[in-house]
Amino acid sequence: MKLKFAFVGMATLLCVSFASAQVTGSGTKNTVPLWTGTTTLGNSKVVQVSGNIGINTRTPGGQLDVESASTTKPAVVGSSSGTIGGYFQTTATASTALQANAAATTGSSNGIYAVTTSPNGFGIIGANNATTGSGGGVLGTSNNGQPGVNGSNLATSGFASGIFGSTSSSGGVVALLRAQAGGDILIGQLGVGLSAVNVVRIDSTGKGFFDGGTQVGGADFAESVAVGKSQTLYEPGDLLTVDANADRQLTLASDPYSPLVAGIYSTKPGVLGAPHAMAQERQHEIPLAIMGIVPCKVSAENGPIHRGDMLVTSATPGHAMKGTDRARMFGAVVGKALQPLESGKGVIEVLVTLQ
């Protein structure tokens, strides 16, 4: 009897113990439970529907759908003391690893906002590691009058840039600007907001407008003109004359006081004019300096050349000499010497002033 009583007592204690540990509560289907007390459960903000996880939504639109109605708190925060705070990847051929959508139709909401406090960091880095194709690191588009990509730098000192571009490809371009339906290719403004005024503009035909003028590396205006023989026979600094045997063609000067004098083979044109479009190939053409200051081959065969002397063609092919026969100089002067040459042959700076 004592042994039977012991078993009954033990069973009673076990039942009492299990009963005190029971969990009670209610919940909604597909909702991940939340401990609402030490022994009670209720609904959390997380649901699992057909393999998709939703937070703050009962109809998740993806494998993970996080939504927030707060106007001050973000839906997702990623933080890491390591290398990467968050990582998204897709292997589909036509897909997006991360898509951000600001659905507001007014105001200034952003699809993505990125900020860094690192002095050498970037708010956003876009990279394309493909070796073929026509993609890019960052693509910005707009369906209204706002810019597809907007870059600004709020620093008030130092070397600050709103947009910076670079390329390491020998066949690449730092910036490609394309006007697909006319309009302007580029506009540069000075000022703030709506009070800013245009100071630089390049229209869709390639014509440039510069309010402050232009400054170039060369010191002359040149025209691209064909030459009668192979280009390899000509050198910068050569004195050239009109070729009497062909239209719009030049040849090396070789007769003294030639009235056919045309100009000098430009070493580094500041401006180069041409009747061709940019993409058209210019075979057998050289830059003919017809205005400005250029190096010119000269000869002292008609006496030492001094600064300010009028220069004409000489008997030495491609060389100019000092003009002394006033009767023959009309229409034969190529320019004025800006440097002297006492003897022999050499190259001096010449102010091209055809007359």
Side-chain angles (χ1 to χ4, degrees):
M1 290 296 291
K2 288 183 179 180
L3 182 61
K4 180 178 180 181
F5 178 78
F7 280 122
V8 171
M10 185 178 294
T12 302
L13 288 173
L14 289 173
C15 290
V16 171
S17 175
F18 288 153
S20 63
Q22 286 183 344
V23 177
T24 62
S26 62
T28 305
K29 182 182 178 181
N30 296 328
T31 302
V32 177
L34 171 71
W35 287 98
T36 58
T38 57
T39 59
T40 58
L41 294 174
N43 287 338
S44 71
K45 294 182 178 182
V46 183
V47 301
Q48 180 173 343
V49 180
S50 301
N52 293 336
I53 304 296
I55 301 177
N56 278 333
T57 176
R58 301 204 58 79
T59 56
Q63 288 193 303
L64 176 61
D65 186 347
V66 182
E67 300 184 11
S68 173
S70 172
T71 58
T72 58
K73 295 181 180 179
V76 176
V77 174
S79 177
S80 172
S81 58
T83 304
I84 300 175
Y87 180 75
F88 297 84
Q89 176 178 331
T90 179
T91 57
T93 56
S95 60
T96 302
L98 172 63
Q99 178 174 325
N101 179 34
T105 57
T106 59
S108 58
S109 59
N110 301 298
I112 292 180
Y113 174 76
V115 63
T116 178
T117 55
S118 171
N120 297 315
F122 297 90
I124 292 179
I125 292 180
N128 186 327
N129 296 325
T131 56
T132 59
S134 58
V138 175
L139 171 65
T141 61
S142 175
N143 292 325
N144 55 25
Q146 302 304 313
V149 174
N150 189 328
S152 63
N153 191 315
L154 303 180
T156 56
S157 63
F159 182 75
S161 59
I163 295 177
F164 172 79
S166 66
T167 179
S168 300
S169 171
S170 60
V173 295
V174 175
L176 173 61
L177 308 176
R178 178 179 296 156
Q180 297 189 15
D184 292 316
I185 296 175
L186 174 68
I187 290 180
Q189 295 186 335
L190 177 63
V192 179
L194 297 178
S195 63
V197 295
N198 294 353
V199 293
V200 174
R201 182 168 69 89
I202 299 177
D203 67 18
S204 58
T205 68
K207 183 184 294 183
F209 303 84
F210 306 90
D211 279 2
T214 58
Q215 181 173 332
V216 293
D220 66 279
F221 175 85
E223 183 77 20
S224 183
V225 185
V227 288
K229 298 179 181 179
S230 172
Q231 289 171 283
T232 59
L233 300 176
Y234 299 86
E235 296 178 337
D238 280 339
L239 185 58
L240 302 165
T241 57
V242 174
D243 190 341
N245 299 314
D247 294 339
R248 207 177 186 278
Q249 185 167 288
L250 304 175
T251 188
L252 210 60
S254 58
D255 297 322
Y257 293 97
S258 173
L260 296 177
V261 65
I264 302 167
Y265 189 149
S266 178
T267 302
K268 184 182 178 182
V271 177
L272 179 62
H276 320 290
M278 183 180 297
Q280 288 181 316
E281 189 175 0
R282 305 174 186 179
Q283 293 184 339
H284 312 299
E285 291 191 359
I286 62 172
L288 174 70
I290 57 177
M291 182 182 300
I293 299 174
V294 290
C296 180
K297 295 179 180 179
V298 292
S299 168
E301 62 193 71
N302 198 34
I305 298 174
H306 303 110
R307 299 179 185 90
D309 281 345
M310 295 286 192
L311 301 178
V312 296
T313 58
S314 71
T316 304
H319 287 64
M321 69 177 184
K322 176 169 65 175
T324 56
D325 189 343
R326 295 290 178 177
R328 301 175 63 189
M329 289 173 61
F330 181 76
V333 174
V334 67
K336 291 185 178 181
L338 297 179
Q339 292 177 310
L341 179 74
E342 292 297 324
S343 61
K345 295 186 294 186
V347 177
I348 66 171
E349 294 283 313
V350 172
L351 174 61
V352 180
T353 51
L354 293 168
Q355 53 184 287

